Amino acid sequence: MPESDETEQDREELTRDMRMMYAAGASLREIGEAYSKSYGTVHRLLAHAGVAFRPRGGSSSAASRARG
């Protein structure tokens, strides 16, 4: 069931825009803030669209450099 009065076309456009943001490097939280959607909603829409998610927390090599 849709969260509001969104149509199928609205959801498809929203998902396409979110995919583009995610591919450009935005985090799920950043995307959610941009569209006033929860992290869970963003994750669900992108997962349903077949997006391959990046590992959490950024690069482990960057974390190692920060500690060393």
Side-chain angles (χ1 to χ4, degrees):
M1 181 120 250
E3 289 184 2
S4 64
D5 294 332
E6 293 177 341
T7 66
E8 181 77 20
Q9 184 176 354
D10 291 338
R11 279 191 305 279
E12 289 174 4
E13 287 181 27
L14 177 65
T15 301
R16 184 188 67 236
D17 293 345
M18 288 180 171
R19 284 182 77 151
M20 290 173 48
M21 286 183 72
Y22 189 73
S27 71
L28 298 182
R29 293 197 190 286
E30 290 169 335
I31 296 168
E33 288 175 12
Y35 289 98
S36 299
K37 301 290 184 190
S38 71
Y39 174 94
T41 297
V42 174
H43 187 276
R44 179 178 47 81
L45 288 170
L46 293 180
H48 184 64
V51 169
F53 293 104
R54 297 185 295 265
R56 292 177 57 185
S59 171
S60 60
S61 62
S64 295
R65 284 194 300 268
R67 282 183 268 158

